[in-house]
Amino acid sequence: MIAYIIRRVLYAIPILIGINILTFVLFFVVNSPDDMARMNLGMKRVTPEAVESWKAERGYDKPLLYNAARQGTAQLTDTIFFQKSLKLFQFEFGVSDSDRDIGYDISQRMWPSLAIAVPVLLVGLLVNITYALLIAFFRATYIDTWSVVLCVVMMSISGLFYIIGGQYLVSKLLHLVPISGYDTGFAAIKFLILPVLIGVVGGIGAGTRWYRTLFLEEINRDYVRTARAKGLSETVVLFRHVLKNAMIPILTGVVVVLPLLFMGSLITESFFGIPGLGSYTIDAINRQDFAIVRAMVFLGSVLYIIGLLLTDISYTLVDPRVRLS
Amino acid sequence: MMGGLVILWTDALVFLLLLFVGAFGVYAAGKEHLRGPWRLVVRSRVGVSTLVILSFYVAVGLLDSVHFEPSYVADPQAQDRVQSTEVVSLFDRLVLPLRERQEKTYSAPLATHLYAKENIEQPGGTMIRDYPRLQYGGAHLANPAQDWAGDVLRLSLIGLVKGLVLTLVLANILFALLAPRRAGGFAGAAREVLTGKGQIPWRSALITLGLLLMVLLWAVELSGRYHLLGTDKVGEDVFYQALKSIRTGLLIGTLTTLVMLPAAILLGIMAGYFRGWVDDLIQYTYTTLNSIPGVLLIAAAILMLQIYMSNHADEFDSLVERADLRLLFLSIILGVTSWTGLCRLLRGESMKLHEVDYVQAAVAFGVGHFQIIVRHILPNVLHIVLITVVLDFSGLVLAEAVLSYVNIGVDPTMNSWGNMINSARLEMAREPVVWWSLLAAMIFMFTLVLSANLFSDVVRDAFDPRLRSSR
């Protein structure tokens, strides 16, 4: 088992290097630091001196890969690639283009993101699985047909509409919770209810339909027929046999998104004014702050790879049929 | 540029895509394993109904993809004409009144007065503060307060009746076409269609078409005199904007796929067929690309495009051309982020196919790799490609709206549902609320995405019998 995990971790290294090189190419080669400087200083009337000083302040004035002006290892280390790209491996994100410490910002903004993403995931799972089990119980009846129709309809509505509609109805017309904002500690709850609710409702369509497919796949299996033939009641069959076996794909599907919960949701956070990583990213995109976007690209990729790793491991843990080879 | 015709990049790709679909249709018509599933699709009631709606969207999108320069068409001989920057489409020409009748600012759907009060000069020279009349919407009414309801009702009725009549005419044409091949002649064909007994559910198609035509003609009738869905901040007709957005939505949904297909098919099949280091390399490539969060990759790429465009601002003849290039670029970058799923599926499938007896036999006979792939592997994975294309479409249409909200979607000057929602969002805080842009975008988007979702379910069931039981 440990050998397997080590091997999987080793597999991840070349991928991380690939991502690092890709972001380096995207942000420094295709798009030179000069362009960034001009973009940030405003396109009109930019003197070469202003560009140079902007670059020097942020350490973008070094050569890309090889610094001929230095001696020894400094020839390789005193370059943009080493300073800006390789440092990401140590999770040293550096300073944003507006002179803030990115690492600190991320560690602060992670918590509001989690405060929304975790409840959405858990409540969503509960609601979707319950609904899907209900549909599976009433399979091939009108309840089944109309539930599937409802799911498809809910899937077809843009997520933006759920947010705008929900904000309008709950906050503006009914005045139940504030439209947007955030607070620290338990005071945050009243700001979190609506985004979590909308996140759950928006996910019902796709989620329930997917779980229903999983359950129905299991229901047609032989062991279920055996269980029924033994005289077990339909509820026992559903909960003890079908749900248990369907949990394998459900669990692995959840595990892969777990690390990405840190990244938060771009749209929800910016609509509700929640200072999480999602709105951080959006603000960075809108301000064209390359340092932050680059840091988030790397962070997101690392989290995704961790997710893949956890999925593989959880498969081997919950499903004895999967061998560690 | 011939005869004033302007072919934008995306236009060219749209017609290339059309060519592709046509060629695939001809190819599929001769192959029973491809024709059979399509027969299932057109025999399903949901299938034909959604097909009718989707064809309406496609028709608008295609009409909107034929661009030309109006000044050139008006006077092709003018030698000293300055480089015109206005490019319009055939669709614009068709709905010219909608395009040209601009009001001052917001007005509610079917309104006769502006949304905000203004100072109006009375004939006597005094100023009063009131809602001014619209320049075009309901301008034919002498006394709007009194005549408005009756007029709207009258126009609606005319539109609905026209739609109904047109549907009946079309139904009769259908009966006449079916009659020669039916036992009971015209009456027999009519009975078969109306009772829904035939193999192809003509009745469902007719009902959908009837509803669509009625809504359409109702909209045409009303928008001749009013702004059916109101006007936006600069007084543009919202109905027109929503219709124009159809092309953008369809393009995002289809061009992305067109762009990613060659890479996904080629690499997917190669990985599964050759295995070994080829497989490792391809797997590595898509895992790497896949691990970068899609939105961020798109954001990074669009930021770069913006820089490129502001550095090379003089290379673009017109705003339309610029917006068009951005749309194309967006499709490409969306393709880059979305080809991995298909690639993985194809890899798995061609791995399985490589072990199949007839492929092994071909290998034993010494048939070349290229020929095996083209003759034996490719035809057997085409259904997966088709299912993926259809399934991805609706997701991409929805993604456009979200991306435009983050300002990394299509160009802000381009008509798109995302841009409509984005600008409408800021107006939700107004009192009274400006809701019509939002509603218009949502209705158009919802109809398209719902039809596409239902249609893709039918297509998937038809092509993938394994999944049929679990639906």
Side-chain angles (χ1 to χ4, degrees), chain A residues 14-15 18-19 22 26-27 30-31 35 39 43 148 152-153 155-158 160-161 164 168 172 209 212-213 216 263 266-267 270-271 281-282 285-286 288 290 293 296-297 300-301 304-305 308, chain B residues 284 287-293 295-297 299-300 303-304 306-307 310-311 344 398 401-402 405-408 421 425 428-431 433 438 442 445-446 449-450 453-454 457 460 469-471:
Chain A
I15 295 174
I19 290 160
L22 195 71
L26 268 180
F27 286 99
V30 181
N31 206 344
D35 292 332
M39 200 90 183
M43 292 307 291
V148 172
V152 177
V153 168
M155 273 169 67
S156 308
I157 299 173
S158 165
L160 294 172
F161 189 72
I164 298 176
Y168 185 72
K172 203 166 173 197
R209 214 167 83 117
R212 173 183 170 276
T213 320
L216 290 189
M263 299 289 286
L266 297 180
I267 306 297
S270 77
F271 261 103
T281 315
I282 286 212
I285 292 171
N286 285 338
Q288 315 198 315
F290 289 84
V293 175
M296 295 310 285
V297 165
S301 317
Y304 178 80
I305 291 171
L308 287 185
Chain B
Y284 170 73
T287 318
T288 308
L289 273 178
N290 212 19
S291 20
I292 300 178
V295 182
L296 289 171
L297 191 65
L303 282 183
M304 286 180 336
Q306 276 172 349
I307 290 179
S310 48
N311 284 350
R344 188 176 300 141
L398 288 177
V402 172
Y405 167 74
V406 197
N407 283 331
I408 51 175
I421 295 172
R425 180 179 59 95
M428 293 298 283
R430 272 173 187 261
E431 209 52 65
V433 179
L438 191 71
M442 287 300 176
M445 207 156 91
F446 175 70
V449 172
L450 183 64
N453 273 337
L454 291 171
D457 275 0
R460 192 193 52 195
S469 59
S470 60
R471 230 183 68 85

Side-chain angles (χ1 to χ4, degrees), chain B residues 37-343:
Chain B
W38 280 116
R39 210 177 288 137
L40 284 181
V41 171
V42 294
R43 281 180 191 172
S44 118
R45 276 181 304 181
V46 179
V48 288
S49 303
T50 49
L51 254 182
V52 169
I53 296 175
L54 289 177
S55 342
F56 165 72
Y57 273 86
V58 170
V60 173
L62 283 180
L63 276 177
D64 208 5
S65 294
V66 184
H67 287 93
F68 58 91
E69 274 184 54
S71 61
Y72 189 94
V73 175
D75 186 12
Q77 253 60 51
Q79 291 297 317
D80 56 342
R81 101 199 145 85
V82 279
Q83 179 72 41
S84 153
T85 52
E86 205 202 4
V87 178
V88 300
S89 72
L90 215 56
F91 178 75
D92 289 329
R93 208 19 98 80
L94 209 67
V95 295
L96 201 61
L98 278 184
R99 182 177 144 84
E100 288 186 337
R101 295 183 324 170
Q102 275 214 352
E103 305 291 349
K104 239 185 205 160
T105 179
Y106 293 113
S107 67
L110 299 178
T112 52
H113 291 80
L114 269 188
Y115 157 88
K117 283 189 178 175
E118 270 182 18
N119 290 325
I120 308 168
E121 205 181 318
Q122 293 297 105
T126 52
M127 299 283 269
I128 56 159
R129 205 159 163 72
D130 199 5
Y131 300 105
R133 279 292 290 273
L134 290 182
Q135 217 177 331
Y136 299 100
H140 60 293
L141 299 178
N143 185 0
Q146 218 171 27
D147 307 338
W148 180 80
D151 191 54
V152 169
L153 203 66
R154 189 177 59 88
L155 289 175
S156 304
L157 270 177
I158 293 177
L160 291 178
V161 169
K162 273 187 185 170
L164 199 63
V165 170
L166 191 59
T167 313
L168 289 177
V169 171
L170 286 176
N172 279 301
I173 293 176
L174 175 71
F175 299 155
L177 285 177
L178 289 178
R181 281 181 283 160
R182 295 295 183 278
F186 188 85
R191 201 177 310 118
E192 183 196 308
V193 170
L194 293 178
T195 52
K197 290 265 168 60
Q199 278 186 324
I200 296 176
W202 287 112
R203 188 172 60 165
S204 303
L206 269 181
I207 292 174
T208 318
L209 186 70
L211 289 176
L212 187 70
L213 282 176
M214 275 158 79
V215 171
L216 196 68
L217 286 170
W218 170 74
V220 167
E221 202 65 38
L222 276 175
S223 48
R225 295 293 169 92
Y226 296 94
H227 296 288
L228 180 65
L229 290 167
T231 51
D232 76 343
K233 193 170 186 174
V234 291
E236 246 197 354
D237 194 292
V238 171
F239 184 48
Y240 170 74
Q241 287 180 340
L243 284 171
K244 285 286 281 182
S245 304
I246 288 178
R247 174 173 185 266
T248 315
L250 289 179
L251 280 184
I252 291 274
T254 50
L255 280 195
T256 303
T257 319
L258 182 75
V259 170
M260 72 152 189
L261 268 189
I265 294 179
L266 188 74
L267 294 179
I269 291 181
M270 271 171 62
Y273 181 82
F274 291 112
R275 309 194 193 182
W277 64 270
V278 179
D279 185 22
D280 288 340
L281 192 71
I282 291 170
Q283 271 200 72
Y284 170 73
T285 314
Y286 71 61
T287 318
T288 308
L289 273 178
N290 212 19
S291 20
I292 300 178
V295 182
L296 289 171
L297 191 65
I298 295 166
I302 289 288
L303 282 183
M304 286 180 336
L305 183 76
Q306 276 172 349
I307 290 179
Y308 176 83
M309 281 187 165
S310 48
N311 284 350
H312 302 81
D314 44 333
E315 279 179 22
F316 305 101
D317 284 347
S318 62
L319 278 178
V320 176
E321 236 168 272
R322 204 183 135 124
D324 179 72
L325 208 70
R326 178 153 166 175
L327 177 66
L328 179 65
F329 192 75
L330 186 69
S331 303
I332 293 175
I333 196 76
L334 270 172
V336 169
T337 58
S338 65
W339 66 282
T340 51
L342 178 62
C343 191

